[in-house]
Amino acid sequence: MIFNFSMKTFEFSLNTGRSQARKRLGRFGRLRGGRFYDWIVWAALVSSIWRAAPSSAGLTSDENLAPPATSSFEGSSFDIFDFEGPKMKDLYYVIMRDMDAQLLAMSTGKLDVLSDLYRPADVERLARSGAAELSLASTFHGFFITFNVREFPWDQVTLRQAASQVVDRRRWTRDLFSGYCEPLASFLPPISPYYDPLETAGPPGVGSSNVDLSNAGLSSVEAARKRLADAGWTWDLAGWLVAPDGRPAPLTKILCPPSSVAATTTEIAQLMAEALLSLGVPAEAEPIDFQTMLARVDAHDFDACTNAWTMSRDPDVLYSFYHSSMDVAGGYNLSGISDPELDRVLRDLRYAPDEATARVMASRAQRLLSELSPVIPLYSRYSISATRNDWDGVFTTDRSTSDNMMTLVSMTPKDGKERPIYWNIPEEIRTLNPLVSSTAYDWTVLGTIYDTLISVNPYTFEDMPWLAESWSIEPGDAGSVLTFTLRPGLKWQDGRPLTAEDVAFSLRYIKDNNVPRFYDSVKDVESIEVAEDRRTLRVFMGNTSYWHLHNIGGMLVLPQHILETVSDWRTWQPTNRPHEALDGTVLTELIGTGPFTFRESRTGEYVHMTRNEHYMLLRPQNSKGSKETEETKEARP
Amino acid sequence: MNALIKRVAGSLVVLVVVLVLNFFLFRVMPGDPLTGVMDPRFSPEAKQQLAVQWGLDKPLTEQFLVYIREMLSFRFGLSMMTGIPVWDELKSRVPNTVALLLPALLLSAALGLWLGVKAALKRGSKVERLVLLSGAVSFSFPSFFVQLLLLLCFAYVWPIFPLRGTSSIPPPEGPAALLDYLWHLTLPLFSLVILSFGGWALYIRNMMVKALGEDYVLMARARGLPHRRVVWNHAFRSILPPVLTIFLLSLPGVVSGAVITETVFSLHGAGRFLLEATNSHDYPSAGAAFFLLALLTVFCNLLADLIYVLVDPRVRRESAR
Amino acid sequence: MTRYLSIFCLVFLALLALLGPTPLGLKDGPQAPPYSKPDWLDRSIASTVILRVSSDGGSSSEASPEASSTAALTWNYVAPLRVALTGRLDGGALRWTTPEGEFSLADASGSAALDLDARDIPFKRSLGIKPFDNMPSVLFPSRGEYRLSLLGSGDVAMKIEGGRWGWLGTDQRGRDVATLFVRGIRISLIVGITATLIATLLGLSLGLVSGYAGGFTDALIMRTVDVLLSIPTLPILMVLAGIWGKGLWNLVLILSIFSWMGTARTVRALTLTLRDAPWVDGLRALGAKRNYILFRHLVPEALPLLLANVALGVPGAILAEAGLAFLGLSDPRLPSWGRMLHEAHTFGSFTNGAWWTILPPGLGISLICLIFMDVGRKLEERADPRLKQEIN
């Protein structure tokens, strides 16, 4: 999946689509009038299940589950300059909404890369057919049941813990997704670099770690009822739960979007209601229109609801979800959890000066959250993608499926004949204005055009040089000071040189215009300095936070010479405005530094792109003579 | 003449009502475009910037004035989903929908008319059986079911038609592009025609059978008028007003019903635009789509009324009064 | 006899709808592996088998480190759809011997509950199977003798489900398609009949009033009709479903509110042409009251048309419900046929060749619509004998 290994703001860039759009459900996504699969918010970055769920295999021995020995080695030695490409001249992003059509096209060769397979039957069928190679990885997606903790009975922490305990995640994911989903019992997904299995264990049995899953479902109901009884809860004659102060538990309605948004969500809500009934809590699932649901949640007019998030590599999303200051209109603290200690820890996490502090605070936050249980994590999606067998150079790691930037750059047909790559986009492209566009489908295209300063290592999730060859973050007088040094000789797709001035201009432009899409990333930027050599850039932030590095390093870099001509960024349609490259070719104003250059878009049909001959991974002199160079190299010693 | 002016005035009233209704309907719906933004990357402050970008921070009265101005000027404003003028959005989609629906409607109506009249004339014949059967089919088979089966048969098991869309990728050059386009539209068109001609045929047959039994038709026959003339000048003419009414009234419904066809065949059309705009609370886009459809409906109604005036002397006499 | 075939069918379906699936012995909820074929279709598929190994049963269990309990199985079928292990292991191991090799299914150092399923990806990984491989076909590579042995103590059951179930197989969630089919009849009938009745009555009365009264009343009703017709149906159904909810009766209400206009207009058109007919003028001259003329003469005159409307309306409403459900806009808890088709389409029955999840609801909708068409035509002919085929 994604893999413009960048950060924060740009995280979903090259990614396949379902993620973003599902996340933006209401506004952008979910329009899939005809296709209403799960409300899947696919994660941006992906990871292996080896690390993800080591103990959830029941009683299997550890040897069987050891991660492949090579992975860490490969990861540390990973260098993007081992790749050379793009190898192919033409790339077509084919818009194909219907899942069945996608599969048929895959088997007839009308599609080469297909992302976000999620119907178990399709996965098995494609695997059996042998036409395509499949890859699977864990994601940052998380599906939760959120309680309204502002009101009785869900303001009672014991009840929330008990509810968390009766959930049989394994059986649910098995039955609903045929196992193509990972039970999730933690507040950061297990693939997160900041996931702490020990700290998230929480009180015994609350099942915040995957370790407990192997025992789930056998006596969990008794254990949960005992937990309630120990805390003074009782049951009336009809078997309904009564709080220690004598108040009976009222009916809990679990709001969930209808199947047009999420095919399985209603069933999960029903399973959850059954689980609550087993505790003696009256409960039922209530499927309602997605917008209505969000509006009600926003107005705090709900008992419980289902919701899904795609989290990111950085754990500071926890601040957005669980800090009391985010319990405002439009905020994401849906449950309304407010705990002074949690607030303090989350604040320290968000404004951590360095990575070490961040790690400590992330662990503490996870421990507190598993005690408070404001939400019940249920499952996390795997990302599954397929690439046709007649291609070489398909790149996968144990954290990334095949539909990534490296694959795009290095794939070549096995028969050696030049032909276009057909890459699926499952929803229509809405706009290719990078300042406005918000759906992952758009960003699949934009991600092949625009680059960022720093990217993410696909093996380790560590920072990786991209447009910037080196960087640093230091505490300054007012706040963090970031320094980036660009690679030498970078060029835009139109042949003009890329300098630190472009980066500075992009940051200033986005900040000055309050572009909503990137507002949070640049709002703390105080000033920017460009050094004489026009390769080094210093960004002064207004406050201290380690995450500024990822915010700014993950910001997309736009060409100054084009942005200067834009009169209104809101209505800018770069694809409609011709722009002449240095060599005289007529391109459009959609000019970046990525491996492919935009040529033509036919709405609802396809987007045509051609190889960027100035791409940094393309050694210009040896597009023809790479063999010669190797030969001369060998000849020399 | 007076009556005509009255009708036009009435239509204008309808348009105004729809226009106002459109504005408030979407605002009465729970949630607004911002509620749908559920993304930790958009903090509440960033969402506020989005509201500014979309003009949602202004008071409702001002929004209403802007809305009316944009609608009446046919610019429709900027889509919230894309930032592109809604008019441009529509320009790319409406031709596909029209290219599919208009031929489908005309073909099925013409076929239905021909078969329906024939069936009414030859009661108990094979033609009548065919009409009854096809009518039954068109009123009882879910369109998506038939379309999916067709797709499965003719695009997968026996792949003579494309699976999706309106063009090959990459598209052929020159006149071949047109052929390519037609080739892509064949299956959806075919499915629409076989799904709907039966309805027309059955309807016209029923009307026609009745008309042929009317006294004045019998009278005309008795007078020894030629068969053709009796059928077409007397009987058929009498059923023409209701038939035309139904035809014109079905137009807007067909457009908004196109969403299923567009879904099954992955077409980039106006039906899906309507659905998506509504779903995502994209006020300008949904407003424009609703308004245009209302305009189409009102226009068709007006036309239907006019036709009544033209072909039915009794209504004409009434109007003249 | 054939004359009344459709009536018999209708009565039969109504009975089924009334009784529901229970008297037929059909059960709700997941019954068998997803996409199990109908029972009668393929005899090379096994039905469900349960193997049980337990140390409690065997006397030698504590004494011997060898297999404390073994269960054998002769397999003469194609690979099953689903394999699951449940139970308890107290420091033992579980071995699966196939004609082509041996698997160590589980190994426990301490006492632990066992809950493994061939669908679990970690379980696949632990046996060295790729996540996309079908584990049951790896565990059952060929026909022959199989053995499940328990080393150490414990109590384990292995459930092997072949993938054959019921009259109509199962859907993507393993629910009995026959159950869902029978449940769907009720929804289709209720939606179709009530929505059409309400709509027709509304359309008839408003159309008559409008056409006969004329003037301001006419203008008001017709402008309402125009406004309602000018709002695109499908999106407005979505909007209303969003505001009111998507329950069965909400759906009926929404459907009828947006489907009376056509009837009203046609009735009005008819009334208009009749209003000035000489015989109506004559009646008026004779001093007939307006209401009398309306209900004694115009209603019977409009009746054939109305029956046609009902005949076409019931299928229309059923199809509308199916369309909404197909687009995923109906209440997911309503087990309607449209919903079954939606799920079949959504979960890939078409490409997986699971025709038993597609044809029953698709043909069911068609059948019930055909029945109504036929009944409607019969009524129509009774009201207007000219339409009868026999009379020419």
Side-chain angles (χ1 to χ4, degrees):
Chain A
M1 303 244 330
I2 165 171
F3 228 91
N4 186 345
F5 315 113
S6 48
M7 353 232 129
K8 294 268 185 190
T9 50
F10 210 44
E11 206 118 70
F12 35 85
S13 46
L14 202 204
N15 173 2
T16 77
R18 218 145 274 141
S19 32
Q20 203 42 21
R22 305 249 168 164
K23 172 168 359 156
R24 328 295 325 275
L25 262 326
R27 186 162 78 82
F28 305 106
R30 255 16 295 187
L31 313 177
R32 350 183 79 240
R35 274 267 299 281
F36 312 106
Y37 307 119
D38 206 321
W39 167 15
I40 308 161
V41 186
W42 239 288
L45 286 165
V46 287
S47 143
S48 133
I49 62 144
W50 297 98
R51 268 164 229 181
S55 51
S56 51
L59 285 175
T60 43
S61 63
D62 278 344
E63 296 91 321
N64 288 332
L65 289 164
T70 50
S71 77
S72 57
F73 166 72
E74 282 176 42
S76 53
S77 68
F78 180 76
D79 180 2
I80 52 162
F81 281 92
D82 290 345
F83 290 85
E84 187 186 338
K87 300 244 179 10
M88 306 312 289
K89 274 207 196 82
D90 290 282
L91 165 67
Y92 283 92
Y93 282 115
V94 182
I95 295 150
M96 206 175 277
R97 187 187 302 116
D98 190 78
M99 199 76 198
D100 294 329
Q102 290 167 11
L103 283 177
L104 303 186
M106 201 74 197
S107 59
T108 55
K110 295 265 164 55
L111 268 187
D112 296 312
V113 181
L114 182 58
S115 306
D116 288 357
L117 282 152
Y118 51 92
R119 302 193 307 203
D122 295 344
V123 172
E124 276 153 22
R125 185 164 160 269
L126 213 51
R128 268 202 312 275
S129 81
E133 196 68 50
L134 286 101
S135 50
L136 172 143
S138 298
T139 67
F140 280 102
H141 165 266
F143 186 95
F144 302 91
I145 300 283
T146 298
F147 297 117
N148 183 0
V149 307
R150 303 168 192 92
E151 280 163 27
F152 182 78
W154 297 107
D155 57 347
Q156 304 292 313
V157 66
T158 320
L159 183 59
R160 299 200 299 267
Q161 288 173 343
S164 184
Q165 200 167 357
V166 289
V167 168
D168 189 350
R169 296 174 175 85
R170 271 178 100 189
R171 193 166 55 80
W172 294 4
T173 51
R174 198 183 274 163
D175 287 346
L176 291 174
F177 306 105
S178 283
Y180 289 108
C181 251
E182 187 180 359
L184 179 73
S186 55
F187 293 83
L188 284 178
I191 55 154
S192 165
Y194 295 86
Y195 166 66
D196 189 335
L198 299 175
E199 292 294 352
T200 55
V206 178
S208 291
S209 80
N210 283 332
V211 182
D212 292 336
L213 292 176
S214 57
N215 285 323
L218 285 179
S219 58
S220 60
V221 176
E222 283 87 357
R225 288 176 84 103
K226 185 170 174 299
R227 173 190 297 278
L228 285 168
D230 290 347
W233 293 68
T234 50
W235 285 268
D236 67 13
L237 287 176
W240 298 118
L241 191 64
V242 179
D245 57 10
R247 284 183 292 176
L251 176 66
T252 293
K253 285 187 176 174
I254 305 169
L255 303 187
C256 56
S259 64
S260 56
V261 176
T264 48
T265 318
T266 315
E267 294 186 53
I268 291 197
Q270 272 166 336
L271 288 171
M272 189 69 223
E274 282 163 28
L276 290 181
L277 284 172
S278 73
L279 284 182
V281 179
E284 65 183 38
E286 190 182 359
I288 60 171
D289 174 68
F290 184 64
Q291 289 275 348
T292 315
M293 177 180 121
L294 293 181
R296 279 183 62 181
V297 171
D298 224 22
H300 303 170
D301 174 25
F302 74 110
D303 311 311
C305 70
T306 62
N307 72 293
W309 295 112
T310 294
M311 288 164 276
S312 68
R313 191 170 64 119
D314 295 336
D316 62 331
V317 283
L318 293 179
Y319 182 91
S320 307
F321 296 151
Y322 308 113
H323 193 273
S324 61
S325 71
M326 285 291 148
D327 184 17
V328 290
Y332 301 110
N333 184 351
L334 306 181
S335 67
I337 187 77
S338 168
D339 180 81
E341 198 190 339
L342 182 65
D343 278 359
R344 204 168 51 243
V345 170
L346 289 174
R347 194 163 182 81
D348 289 347
L349 173 63
R350 192 181 191 193
Y351 296 105
D354 50 49
E355 203 189 335
T357 320
R359 201 162 286 283
V360 173
M361 290 304 154
S363 293
R364 271 194 212 160
Q366 289 177 74
R367 195 192 65 232
L368 281 171
L369 282 169
S370 46
E371 274 167 23
L372 292 169
S373 296
V375 303
I376 301 181
L378 288 182
Y379 67 84
S380 175
R381 290 265 169 199
Y382 288 125
S383 153
I384 301 172
S385 78
T387 315
R388 266 185 73 83
N389 269 342
D390 46 7
W391 290 90
D392 274 329
V394 175
F395 177 81
T396 55
T397 74
D398 55 354
R399 293 192 174 201
S400 158
T401 47
S402 62
D403 48 341
N404 59 57
M405 181 78 93
M406 297 291 112
T407 298
L408 193 56
V409 164
S410 57
M411 69 196 280
T412 46
K414 281 188 178 152
D415 59 10
K417 281 184 203 144
E418 172 75 36
R419 64 184 178 99
I421 304 170
Y422 295 110
W423 193 295
N424 180 248
I425 294 184
E427 197 58 76
E428 280 168 26
I429 298 297
R430 295 207 179 284
T431 173
L432 290 176
N433 175 352
L435 298 171
V436 170
S437 162
S438 298
T439 72
Y441 311 112
D442 301 350
W443 278 99
T444 308
V445 178
L446 291 172
T448 37
I449 294 170
Y450 294 107
D451 278 321
T452 54
L453 293 171
I454 310 179
S455 193
V456 179
N457 184 313
Y459 290 96
T460 60
F461 284 170
E462 284 162 4
D463 296 344
M464 181 174 84
W466 200 253
L467 291 182
E469 63 181 9
S470 64
W471 60 85
S472 68
I473 176 166
E474 294 140 12
D477 301 333
S480 309
V481 179
L482 307 163
T483 312
F484 297 93
T485 307
L486 297 184
R487 287 180 195 286
L490 289 171
K491 276 185 181 166
W492 293 105
Q493 289 169 344
D494 61 3
R496 292 176 174 84
L498 183 156
T499 69
E501 294 285 0
D502 285 300
V503 184
F505 187 85
S506 309
L507 290 174
R508 283 192 203 113
Y509 191 91
I510 285 164
K511 180 168 164 73
D512 293 346
N513 286 297
N514 286 334
V515 176
R517 173 97 179 57
F518 305 107
Y519 180 84
D520 292 321
S521 298
V522 298
K523 69 167 186 236
D524 294 325
V525 172
E526 287 283 300
S527 61
I528 303 163
E529 268 175 22
V530 177
E532 286 289 310
D533 61 357
R534 309 224 299 163
R535 272 182 55 207
T536 309
L537 175 85
R538 281 162 73 80
V539 184
F540 298 88
M541 307 302 289
N543 53 32
T544 304
S545 167
Y546 175 66
W547 314 116
H548 285 323
L549 177 64
H550 294 172
N551 280 332
I552 302 299
M555 195 63 172
L556 75 173
V557 179
L558 302 161
Q560 179 175 7
H561 62 277
I562 283 177
L563 269 194
E564 277 170 345
T565 66
V566 174
S567 53
D568 183 355
W569 62 271
R570 277 167 296 204
T571 53
W572 180 39
Q573 287 184 56
T575 52
N576 286 358
R577 303 189 5 152
H579 170 78
E580 199 175 309
L582 276 187
D583 60 3
T585 327
V586 178
L587 302 171
T588 66
E589 288 193 349
L590 202 55
I591 293 289
T593 47
F596 284 90
T597 311
F598 175 86
R599 298 314 282 255
E600 184 204 4
S601 164
R602 205 151 141 188
T603 343
E605 304 288 341
Y606 63 85
V607 176
H608 179 206
M609 308 185 83
T610 54
R611 178 165 61 198
N612 169 17
E613 302 295 343
H614 304 289
Y615 190 51
M616 63 177 183
L617 296 184
L618 202 62
R619 277 35 133 215
Q621 70 279 16
N622 29 338
S623 55
K624 217 182 182 182
S626 64
K627 267 187 197 154
E628 293 168 24
T629 342
E630 275 168 32
E631 279 165 19
T632 40
K633 255 191 216 163
E634 278 174 11
R636 211 175 289 154
Chain B
M1 207 54 221
N2 207 0
L4 192 69
I5 292 168
K6 254 167 112 180
R7 293 238 159 99
V8 173
S11 306
L12 284 180
V13 170
V14 169
L15 274 184
V16 170
V17 172
V18 169
L19 207 58
V20 175
L21 216 62
N22 273 354
F23 181 82
F24 288 103
L25 195 67
F26 287 110
R27 272 129 183 118
V28 166
M29 266 173 87
D32 62 34
L34 285 176
T35 355
V37 181
M38 292 289 281
D39 181 346
R41 270 173 275 266
F42 280 86
S43 67
E45 302 114 83
K47 280 194 190 177
Q48 198 45 48
Q49 296 302 328
L50 267 180
V52 173
Q53 185 191 328
W54 292 333
L56 292 172
D57 56 330
K58 301 194 179 98
L60 208 59
T61 44
E62 200 182 328
Q63 285 185 45
F64 184 69
L65 289 178
V66 170
Y67 162 82
I68 294 287
R69 202 183 59 219
E70 294 289 345
M71 287 294 146
L72 294 184
S73 66
F74 279 80
R75 285 193 308 248
F76 304 125
L78 299 181
S79 160
M80 290 178 183
M81 299 186 285
T82 63
I84 295 174
V86 175
W87 183 243
D88 290 355
E89 253 329 307
L90 288 169
K91 261 198 312 205
S92 79
R93 290 163 177 265
V94 169
N96 281 340
T97 306
V98 171
L100 174 65
L101 293 183
L102 204 64
L105 198 61
L106 288 178
L107 267 178
S108 49
L111 195 61
L113 198 76
W114 181 61
L115 285 174
V117 172
K118 248 185 121 131
L121 291 178
K122 290 198 177 160
R123 308 297 308 278
S125 67
K126 272 183 191 152
V127 178
E128 186 172 40
R129 271 170 222 277
L130 173 73
V131 165
L132 292 175
L133 188 78
S134 61
V137 165
S138 82
F139 282 110
S140 51
F141 278 72
S143 59
F144 51 90
F145 179 61
V146 174
Q147 288 171 339
L148 283 170
L149 289 182
L150 281 176
L151 206 59
L152 207 63
C153 288
F154 296 110
Y156 182 54
V157 179
W158 188 32
I160 51 170
F161 287 109
L163 271 171
R164 58 160 298 286
T166 55
S167 112
S168 300
I169 297 168
E173 301 287 325
L178 183 69
L179 282 178
D180 184 59
Y181 187 69
L182 291 178
W183 180 57
H184 276 79
L185 283 188
T186 309
L187 203 56
L189 187 71
F190 178 66
S191 73
L192 284 178
V193 171
I194 63 161
L195 276 167
S196 54
F197 84 91
W200 289 106
L202 191 68
Y203 185 71
I204 285 164
R205 173 247 180 205
N206 284 2
M207 302 283 291
M208 200 64 189
V209 165
K210 259 184 72 187
L212 284 172
E214 294 289 348
D215 294 345
Y216 60 87
V217 174
L218 294 179
M219 185 61 198
R221 270 198 192 156
R223 278 197 323 200
L225 287 178
H227 179 67
R228 272 183 87 85
R229 225 180 122 191
V230 173
V231 171
W232 294 106
N233 282 20
H234 291 80
F236 185 70
R237 205 172 157 183
S238 75
I239 67 162
L240 205 55
V243 168
L244 281 174
T245 312
I246 297 287
F247 182 83
L248 288 167
L249 287 181
S250 71
L251 263 175
V254 167
V255 173
S256 74
V259 51
I260 288 188
T261 310
E262 285 171 10
T263 303
V264 173
F265 293 99
S266 308
L267 299 176
H268 181 71
R272 286 202 60 83
F273 179 70
L274 189 65
L275 192 71
E276 294 177 6
T278 313
N279 246 349
S280 59
H281 290 224
D282 183 349
Y283 296 155
S285 302
F290 272 51
F291 180 63
L292 285 181
L293 266 179
L295 208 64
L296 178 69
T297 318
V298 166
F299 179 72
C300 288
N301 284 351
L302 212 58
L303 214 62
D305 280 351
L306 271 180
I307 283 165
Y308 255 92
V309 173
L310 289 181
V311 298
D312 194 328
R314 287 169 300 182
V315 179
R316 193 158 55 210
R317 189 183 59 197
E318 163 80 5
S319 315
R321 248 184 242 155
Chain C
M1 194 59 205
T2 47
R3 268 184 74 80
Y4 297 104
L5 185 65
S6 54
I7 306 277
F8 284 130
C9 282
L10 188 59
V11 170
F12 176 69
L13 286 179
L15 260 168
L16 269 184
L18 210 64
L19 292 172
T22 323
L24 300 172
L26 300 171
K27 289 191 210 78
D28 286 313
Q31 300 291 326
Y35 294 129
S36 291
K37 288 184 177 153
D39 223 351
W40 40 268
L41 194 66
D42 189 349
R43 290 283 163 189
S44 70
I45 296 171
S47 42
T48 304
V49 184
I50 294 176
L51 287 183
R52 199 180 173 88
V53 281
S54 169
S55 56
D56 306 336
S59 57
S60 63
S61 59
E62 271 131 57
S64 157
E66 288 302 302
S68 59
S69 172
T70 298
L73 173 72
T74 312
W75 189 255
N76 279 322
Y77 309 97
V78 293
L81 272 188
R82 200 191 262 179
V83 178
L85 290 159
T86 48
R88 188 172 45 78
L89 265 191
D90 301 315
L94 209 55
R95 298 260 183 281
W96 176 244
T97 319
T98 77
E100 292 167 24
E102 199 181 70
F103 290 95
S104 167
L105 294 180
D107 222 322
S109 43
S111 171
L114 189 68
D115 180 17
L116 290 171
D117 191 290
R119 288 168 292 172
D120 298 346
I121 287 178
F123 186 32
K124 290 185 190 176
R125 295 273 204 181
S126 73
L127 295 186
I129 301 171
K130 278 194 252 152
F132 307 110
D133 284 346
N134 183 13
M135 184 150 158
S137 61
V138 176
L139 292 181
F140 288 83
S142 61
R143 293 172 190 211
E145 295 294 324
Y146 288 81
R147 258 195 348 266
L148 179 71
S149 13
L150 176 69
L151 311 166
S153 58
D155 180 12
V156 177
M158 184 185 204
K159 192 175 184 193
I160 305 154
E161 287 167 294
R164 238 178 350 130
W165 180 265
W167 303 337
L168 291 175
T170 61
D171 69 356
Q172 80 286 343
R173 292 265 291 104
R175 289 169 301 190
D176 191 346
V177 175
T179 312
L180 294 173
F181 180 79
V182 173
R183 289 228 177 272
I185 301 174
R186 188 182 303 180
I187 308 292
S188 287
L189 283 179
I190 290 179
V191 169
I193 294 175
T194 43
T196 316
L197 273 184
I198 298 175
T200 309
L201 286 177
L202 264 176
L204 171 68
S205 40
L206 291 172
L208 276 177
V209 168
S210 175
Y212 195 83
F216 178 73
T217 325
D218 181 31
L220 188 72
I221 293 176
M222 281 303 111
R223 290 299 85 81
T224 316
V225 165
D226 289 346
V227 169
L228 283 178
L229 280 174
S230 312
I231 301 174
T233 326
L234 203 69
I236 199 69
L237 289 184
M238 290 167 44
V239 172
L240 288 183
I243 298 173
W244 291 347
K246 299 178 200 297
L248 181 59
W249 295 107
N250 297 338
L251 201 67
V252 166
L253 199 66
I254 294 171
L255 281 179
S256 43
I257 286 183
F258 281 89
S259 46
W260 60 268
M261 296 88 70
T263 317
R265 282 196 77 121
T266 344
V267 169
R268 174 178 173 271
L270 188 82
T271 319
L272 270 187
T273 51
L274 288 174
R275 188 175 62 178
D276 298 327
W279 58 269
V280 176
D281 276 339
L283 280 173
R284 214 175 278 138
L286 285 172
K289 290 264 174 20
R290 194 174 71 172
N291 287 353
Y292 177 82
I293 299 178
L294 268 179
F295 291 104
R296 192 72 185 81
H297 294 277
L298 291 190
V299 170
E301 195 68 24
L303 208 59
L305 203 66
L306 280 181
L307 286 172
N309 260 314
V310 174
L312 307 186
V314 173
I318 290 174
L319 291 179
E321 190 274 335
L324 279 180
F326 177 72
L327 290 174
L329 299 171
S330 68
D331 188 331
R333 290 168 300 183
L334 283 185
S336 78
W337 287 336
R339 186 142 194 95
M340 287 171 76
L341 279 171
H342 165 68
E343 286 180 0
H345 181 230
T346 313
F347 291 98
S349 294
F350 280 87
T351 40
N352 282 292
W355 54 266
W356 55 91
T357 63
I358 304 164
L359 291 185
L363 294 178
I365 294 174
S366 309
L367 177 73
I368 209 162
C369 292
L370 280 174
I371 288 172
F372 271 99
M373 297 276 301
D374 194 52
V375 169
R377 205 164 55 85
K378 295 251 161 66
L379 290 172
E380 206 177 21
E381 282 167 2
R382 185 157 292 181
D384 183 358
R386 283 171 298 184
L387 287 170
K388 263 192 195 166
Q389 278 187 31
E390 288 78 15
I391 300 169
N392 200 350

